[in-house]
């Protein structure tokens, strides 16, 4: 009898989420936390790139992307306050690592900076796409926000491609490294 009860409890608490199930408040909280971390990281990357290349020919387009990241970040800051969500404990790390990544790639030249942009934005695009799947038809306001930001991240990716990211001789290597780093940052920010 006891065994049967345990099995039933396990099934109801740990089964995979099915279509039609509402995401739990914990899931939504986790989404807001990781999205805030991602937008903060993106803002720091562009800040590092603008610091190095801001006076160059790509300065204007870098500032355009940086301004959009500022708005993305501000929106998630508002969501965090309204929903009582704490930031990731890794916030200070992303402060340094984001800026360092931006400044380092920019110091390697415009194409390297753009290759970094393509890699980061690809990962954020995939991340937001997955969140929209996970939300289903729930949380319409959050869905709307994510959809709008995702479109702008895709725009950033195309800006990177239009500015010669793929012409960088070591583009595949840099892209792979930055993608791996970005995915790791997302994984950690969802958990810590
Ligand atoms: Fe963004
Ligand atoms: Fe972006």
């Amino acid at each position: 009898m006891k065994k049967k009860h345990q099995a039933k409890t396990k099934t109801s608490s740990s089964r995979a989420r099915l279509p039609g199930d509402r995401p739990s408040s914990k899931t939504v909280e986790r989404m807001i936390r990781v999205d805030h971390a991602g937008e903060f990281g993106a803002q720091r990357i562009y800040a590092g790139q603008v610091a190095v290349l801001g006076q160059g020919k790509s300065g204007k387009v870098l500032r355009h992307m940086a301004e959009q990241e500022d708005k993305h970040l501000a929106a998630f800051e508002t969501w965090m306050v309204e929903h009582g969500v704490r930031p990731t404990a890794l916030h200070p790390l992303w402060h340094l690592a984001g800026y360092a990544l931006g400044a380092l790639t920019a110091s390697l030249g415009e194409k390297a900076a753009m290759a970094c942009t393509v890699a980061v934005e690809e990962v954020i695009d995939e991340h937001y796409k997955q969140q929209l799947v996970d939300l289903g038809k729930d949380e319409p306001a959050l869905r709307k926000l994510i959809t709008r930001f995702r479109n702008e991240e895709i725009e950033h990716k195309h800006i990177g491609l239009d500015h010669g990211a793929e012409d960088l001789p070591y583009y595949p290597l840099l892209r792979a490294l930055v993608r791996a780093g970005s995915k790791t940052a997302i994984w950690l920010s969802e958990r810590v």
Side-chain angles (χ1 to χ4, degrees), residues 72-162:
H72 298 178
L73 178 62
F76 277 113
E77 276 172 357
T78 302
W79 267 77
M80 288 183 95
V81 172
E82 286 178 358
H83 292 76
V85 179
R86 65 159 178 83
T88 168
L90 297 170
H91 198 75
L93 178 61
W94 305 148
H95 182 84
L96 293 174
Y99 190 89
L101 178 63
L104 176 69
T105 51
S107 68
L108 295 170
E110 186 195 21
K111 287 184 173 61
M114 292 298 171
C116 171
T117 289
V118 172
V120 169
E121 302 291 7
E122 271 177 354
V123 173
I124 301 180
D125 169 27
E126 291 159 14
H127 168 74
Y128 279 153
K129 187 180 174 188
Q130 185 58 50
Q131 283 194 337
L132 290 171
V133 170
D134 293 343
L135 282 172
K137 289 185 175 162
D138 296 314
E139 300 289 338
L142 184 58
R143 278 183 57 84
K144 195 174 165 192
L145 196 73
I146 292 173
T147 302
R148 180 155 61 86
F149 293 173
R150 183 182 169 216
N151 287 337
E152 291 179 353
E153 313 305 6
I154 293 170
E155 181 201 325
H156 297 171
K157 179 176 74 178
H158 287 298
I159 288 171
L161 292 170
D162 291 344

Side-chain angles (χ1 to χ4, degrees), residues 50-93:
V50 167
V52 178
L53 293 174
Q55 301 307 313
K57 60 183 168 62
S58 55
K60 193 177 169 190
V61 76
L62 288 174
R63 273 191 293 277
H64 163 70
M65 294 191 283
E67 282 165 15
Q68 284 184 322
E69 302 301 354
D70 287 346
K71 288 178 187 162
H72 298 178
L73 178 62
F76 277 113
E77 276 172 357
T78 302
W79 267 77
M80 288 183 95
V81 172
E82 286 178 358
H83 292 76
V85 179
R86 65 159 178 83
T88 168
L90 297 170
H91 198 75
L93 178 61

